[in-house]
Amino acid sequence: MSQLRFGAPETEGTVISGSVDSVIYSNDENGYTVLRLRLDEGGTATLVGTLPYAAPGEELTAVGSWSTHNSYGEQFKAEEIERLLPDSAAGIYTYLASGILKGVGPATARNIVEHFGADALRVLEEEPEKLASLRGIPERRAREIGEAYRKQSALRRLLEFFSAAGIKLSYGVRLYRSYGADAMEVLYANPYLLCEDYYGASFADADRLALKLGFQGDSPERVEAAVLFELNHNAGGGHCFIPEEKLAGAVCQLIGVTPEQSHAAIGRLQEAGDVVREEIVGLDAVYLRRLYVAESYVASRLLAMRGRLPGGERAAEYLRLAEKEMGLTLAEHQRQAVIEAVQYGVFALTGGPGTGKTTTIRAILRIFDAMGLRVSLAAPTGRAAKRMQELCRREASTIHRLLQTGYDPELGLLVFKKDESDPLSADAVILDEASMVDVTLMQALLQAMKPGARLVLVGDADQLPSVGPGNLLKDLLRSGAVPSVALQEVFRQAEESRIIVSAHLINQGELPELKKNTGDFFFLRRKQGEDALHTILELCATRLPKNMGIPSEEIQVLSPTRLGITGTVNLNKELQAALNPPAEDKAEKAYGPWVFRTGDRVMQIRNNYDLVWTKPDGETGAGVYNGDVGKIRSVDPAGQTLTVDFEDRSAEYSFDLLGELEPAYAMTVHKSQGSEYRAVILALCSASPSLLSRAVLYTAVTRARSLLIVVGDDELFARMVENNRTQRRYCGLKTRLSSANQ
């Protein structure tokens, strides 16, 4: 009998055995399954337990206990399970015909079993080329079926191992995507690799697995893994380095080793080249090597680019011609910005809403065109790039697409096709929303810019900094090493917008008039979370669409937090129920905490560099990125796929990738960076104190283009205006730029 097992039952308890008759429910993320079992002694039973990829026809022996569920009656809760694939022709047919194997339905299953009988599963795994002898199965399809079966068998074994260890199955799916049949061997050698960004496991998960595999509590591998985890974890919080004493202390707290063991591990990692130590403003800084290289490169390249360039001596002449062609006269600071952007190789333009950044960019762009320069417009996110394209009436792209980003499965790394060996053809790059760009992405952009090319950085320094490591725009401005101009004058037309006026008041630490519900800014006072939730649902579902003609798809709900009744997790579930409820004509797929339904607004929550997309004209490419928002066009349960339309392209997700999506009816303020929406509803009821800051509020307010409605606690709003404390980021860029500038 062919076996797939993760251990014969050993614990005491009731033992039952039988064959799977039908699968009632299965959660692809954690393997939790409810099925009907045809018992060997006769009759059927409902069994619940962790059985990834369960299918009719399997033979099970389970140890557990009987219980009675209030709604579903008697059921057997399995604690340990031995799984055996069927060895009879009838059982194999039931198994294959269930749809468990992609590309094999009832007709193909019957064809295979009638020809190979009880040997069918062995043929699928060991000699799939024999399938080509069957009618209707060409050689290519035979290879595809065999490959699908071998992949599923290996993946299933891996997921059963993860399930037995109590670790999320989604990590196993990603591990298999990286290493294929070698995934288990790689995992045994270094379970801590699961902490890498691509896999997404917590250190606790990887550490629990490592200890089960025999790693000692104070083993060098464990302590070094803890050091690297702390550095990577803090990089996700914006830090490029951590002072050694703080790092050693964090490692001691994490795994309970001594300070001496932590320092020794840091030293070994330094010798191996995994980390770099350097004194930064009196601190013994410990960097991940990649962040040290990125920060050092960005500093040296920006310093090398900041000099004057040919053509700059005619900047004033070019400006007069641009003003004449555009039919306007720029304000003093705008004129200064245009001239310096033309004169210098790198230049930073900053300013809040309504201060004329777009007009200034257009003038710079017009002059660059007159100078015969090839110009690329870019932004960190797809929405920001689209907005830039609309405002400048010129094609713009994300930085990732500009650099032709891809994922190298052999290296297991993000790679950019554009670099020093194959640079961009652009003579100038204008980069919007520069406050969102972290140090590693800036490194990649600068590496791809050819010698002599110009860089214009545009942004709002008062918005939240990048999610990734570094505080690039603020550090660059504070260093004084690069020419920059801050636009501060709010133009008359912008002064008519209460959104813009309120944003500037907030930025200055002043409280806007919240009782003056007129124009484009409204505050609806709701002290209780339940009341705020009810109001938000009503606004999205009826009041704004019916009374103001704003369709629900043009309304974006924001919250500082994911947690609580007005956090994004609960808001998304409630908004989905209100705006896109279940219907017979809407297919859906449950995955983890979410139900994904045709018509849902969804967001990609991690970079996937090898996910293929297609445009309506047939053009194809790869790469869907963290923060991309789209709409589910279709859900195909038979093909186990879900298709999402992102702006001008669509991508097909296999169900095992659904952990990379979440609903986007509501999103955190951090996730909304770089985007602008016709109408924004901001939920303000409760959140962690670290999220209740002026920068968070300012960023949220400036996301609204035509209408802003804040629903929540006015006292909380006032506290956010007052709270201008920002979390310190350990970065060395300002120091590197300043020291070279002295």
Side-chain angles (χ1 to χ4, degrees):
M1 180 175 287
S2 178
Q3 298 187 35
L4 283 176
R5 57 191 293 176
F6 62 88
E10 296 177 354
T11 59
E12 294 183 2
T14 303
V15 180
I16 63 172
S17 60
S19 62
V20 178
D21 184 64
S22 61
V23 177
I24 300 170
Y25 171 80
S26 179
N27 186 314
D28 291 340
E29 186 173 36
N30 58 25
Y32 178 79
T33 301
V34 181
L35 54 80
R36 292 294 292 174
L37 190 69
R38 189 174 299 280
L39 300 172
D40 289 342
E41 65 266 26
T44 60
T46 299
L47 182 146
V48 298
T50 303
L51 291 95
Y53 289 99
E58 283 190 70
E59 302 287 340
L60 304 182
T61 298
V63 177
S65 58
W66 293 99
S67 63
T68 301
H69 191 279
N70 291 336
S71 301
Y72 304 111
E74 188 178 50
Q75 57 187 25
F76 187 84
K77 183 178 181 181
E79 301 295 339
E80 291 194 20
I81 304 171
E82 179 182 350
R83 303 174 64 174
L84 304 172
L85 289 179
D87 61 355
S88 68
I92 292 172
Y93 168 75
T94 300
Y95 179 75
L96 294 178
S98 69
I100 188 67
L101 190 61
K102 190 174 181 179
V104 176
T108 302
R110 186 178 303 281
N111 193 7
I112 292 172
V113 173
E114 285 180 351
H115 191 84
F116 297 108
D119 199 35
L121 295 184
R122 186 198 64 78
V123 171
L124 285 175
E125 185 158 15
E126 300 176 7
E127 300 178 286
E129 65 276 3
K130 287 186 176 181
L131 298 179
S133 64
L134 305 183
R135 184 177 180 181
I137 302 182
E139 290 185 10
R140 178 180 177 183
R141 190 177 176 209
R143 288 194 301 271
E144 290 174 348
I145 292 174
E147 182 180 349
Y149 182 78
R150 285 194 296 269
K151 174 183 175 182
Q152 186 194 83
S153 297
L155 179 58
R156 180 168 151 172
R157 292 186 184 101
L158 183 66
L159 296 189
E160 286 174 346
F161 177 81
F162 271 67
S163 175
I167 298 176
K168 282 187 179 180
L169 303 188
S170 56
Y171 307 150
V173 171
R174 293 179 202 133
L175 188 69
Y176 185 86
R177 285 178 176 272
S178 294
Y179 296 101
D182 296 327
M184 187 69 77
E185 182 180 347
V186 170
L187 186 67
Y188 269 89
N190 180 20
Y192 292 103
L193 65 83
L194 293 177
C195 297
E196 294 177 6
D197 288 345
Y198 177 70
Y199 306 111
S202 68
F203 180 84
D205 283 336
D207 194 44
R208 185 169 64 250
L209 179 59
L211 295 176
K212 285 185 178 181
L213 293 176
F215 285 79
Q216 297 301 309
D218 61 351
S219 67
E221 295 90 348
R222 185 177 188 238
V223 186
E224 290 168 16
V227 171
L228 295 175
F229 167 77
E230 287 291 348
L231 288 171
N232 275 296
H233 176 74
N234 282 282
H239 301 290
C240 289
F241 71 83
I242 299 296
E244 183 172 0
E245 287 302 321
K246 283 183 175 289
L247 177 59
V251 170
C252 293
Q253 186 175 5
L254 180 67
I255 60 174
V257 295
T258 66
E260 292 76 16
Q261 289 171 317
S262 294
H263 286 292
I266 294 170
R268 290 193 302 272
L269 289 168
Q270 182 184 10
E271 290 178 8
D274 294 317
V275 304
V276 176
R277 292 162 69 177
E278 180 178 320
E279 184 176 327
I280 300 288
V281 292
L283 299 174
D284 188 2
V286 182
Y287 286 84
L288 289 168
R289 172 163 289 279
R290 64 180 178 86
L291 295 183
Y292 174 81
V293 170
E295 188 180 87
S296 301
Y297 180 86
V298 168
S300 62
R301 186 69 196 277
L302 288 176
L303 290 170
M305 293 173 63
R306 62 179 175 166
R308 290 178 177 267
L309 292 180
E313 67 279 357
R314 299 181 59 191
E317 175 188 344
Y318 284 128
L319 175 58
R320 287 193 296 273
L321 291 173
E323 286 181 317
K324 184 177 180 181
E325 291 178 5
M326 297 172 71
L328 52 79
T329 300
L330 297 177
E332 180 181 351
H333 281 92
Q334 289 178 306
R335 293 173 61 85
Q336 180 188 350
V338 173
I339 289 174
E340 293 193 13
V342 175
Q343 290 177 333
Y344 296 101
V346 59
F347 170 75
L349 171 67
T350 65
T355 57
K357 290 198 304 292
T358 299
T359 301
T360 307
I361 294 172
R362 286 176 178 167
I364 294 170
L365 187 56
R366 188 174 289 267
I367 292 175
F368 283 173
D369 286 342
M371 295 172 68
L373 302 180
R374 287 170 292 188
V375 184
S376 290
L377 304 183
T381 68
R383 283 184 171 270
K386 182 180 180 183
R387 187 181 64 182
M388 190 181 192
Q389 182 169 304
E390 292 170 348
L391 294 174
C392 295
R393 304 182 186 92
R394 181 80 64 91
E395 182 180 355
S397 70
T398 63
I399 302 173
H400 286 92
R401 292 202 175 101
L402 181 67
L403 301 181
Q404 299 177 26
T405 311
Y407 182 76
D408 188 323
E410 293 185 4
L411 296 176
L413 296 172
L414 161 68
V415 294
F416 298 99
K417 295 179 182 178
K418 292 297 180 181
D419 55 20
E420 297 100 330
S421 61
D422 182 20
L424 297 167
S425 61
D427 301 305
V429 173
I430 301 178
L431 175 61
D432 199 8
E433 298 289 352
S435 63
M436 294 181 63
V437 180
D438 64 42
V439 69
T440 56
L441 191 54
M442 179 55 70
Q443 175 197 19
L445 177 60
L446 292 174
Q447 285 176 329
M449 293 182 64
K450 63 186 180 182
R454 304 162 185 263
L455 175 63
V456 177
L457 299 168
V458 183
D460 186 341
D462 295 309
Q463 287 186 21
L464 291 168
S466 61
V467 174
N471 203 354
L472 185 108
L473 185 60
K474 282 189 177 179
D475 282 352
L476 187 148
L477 296 172
R478 288 168 179 167
S479 73
V482 170
S484 65
V485 170
L487 302 179
Q488 297 176 331
E489 179 185 352
V490 179
F491 290 94
R492 184 178 304 171
Q493 184 176 359
E495 287 180 340
E496 298 175 1
S497 166
R498 290 195 65 231
I499 294 174
I500 292 177
V501 172
S502 297
H504 284 278
L505 287 172
I506 291 167
N507 201 29
Q508 295 160 16
E510 299 179 29
L511 184 66
E513 175 54 66
L514 299 183
K515 295 181 180 179
K516 185 181 177 181
N517 280 337
T518 59
D520 54 9
F521 177 30
F522 297 81
F523 186 90
L524 304 182
R525 186 173 180 267
R526 303 290 186 272
K527 289 284 190 180
Q528 301 300 317
E530 293 83 357
D531 296 335
L533 175 63
H534 177 76
T535 299
I536 291 168
L537 295 176
E538 189 178 41
L539 286 167
C540 292
T542 57
R543 289 171 63 178
L544 294 187
K546 291 183 178 180
N547 299 340
M548 300 190 69
I550 302 176
S552 58
E553 56 266 24
E554 294 185 23
I555 304 168
Q556 183 60 59
V557 178
L558 301 180
S559 174
T561 181
R562 291 178 58 85
L563 307 178
I565 194 169
T566 56
T568 59
V569 173
N570 187 61
L571 281 169
N572 270 313
K573 291 179 179 179
E574 296 285 351
L575 286 165
Q576 182 192 44
L579 302 177
N580 190 32
E584 290 185 4
D585 61 341
K586 295 178 183 177
E588 60 183 45
K589 169 64 180 177
Y591 191 92
W594 309 114
V595 174
F596 295 102
R597 185 175 299 133
T598 301
D600 276 340
R601 187 191 310 173
V602 292
M603 177 171 55
Q604 179 78 11
I605 59 173
R606 64 171 53 89
N607 291 337
N608 187 326
Y609 307 107
D610 51 0
L611 185 61
V612 175
W613 50 257
T614 305
K615 288 187 176 182
D617 62 5
E619 178 187 348
T620 61
V624 180
Y625 305 109
N626 188 1
D628 285 354
V629 175
K631 184 177 182 179
I632 297 177
R633 183 207 306 165
S634 62
V635 179
D636 180 7
Q640 300 181 26
T641 60
L642 178 152
T643 302
V644 179
D645 290 333
F646 293 100
E647 300 292 347
D648 62 340
R649 62 200 73 210
S650 63
E652 185 177 271
Y653 290 74
S654 56
F655 282 170
D656 61 15
L657 286 178
L658 295 186
E660 298 185 0
L661 291 174
E662 65 179 34
Y665 297 102
M667 67 176 67
T668 62
V669 177
H670 282 80
K671 285 287 188 183
S672 73
Q673 282 181 270
S675 299
E676 188 179 74
Y677 310 96
R678 179 179 176 183
V680 165
I681 299 174
L682 175 61
L684 280 186
C685 284
S686 64
S688 167
S690 63
L691 297 173
L692 300 177
S693 68
R694 184 186 301 173
V696 170
L697 181 59
Y698 176 75
T699 301
V701 169
T702 53
R703 298 309 91 203
R705 183 174 68 250
S706 302
L707 178 65
L708 171 66
I709 302 177
V710 181
V711 181
D713 188 337
D714 53 342
E715 294 180 3
L716 187 63
F717 190 106
R719 289 205 303 272
M720 293 180 76
V721 173
E722 294 173 359
N723 179 17
N724 198 30
R725 294 189 301 273
T726 57
Q727 182 182 8
R728 178 179 181 180
R729 290 192 169 196
Y730 289 112
C731 310
L733 182 62
K734 175 180 176 293
T735 300
R736 298 179 195 282
L737 292 171
S738 299
S739 60
N741 196 41
Q742 291 173 355

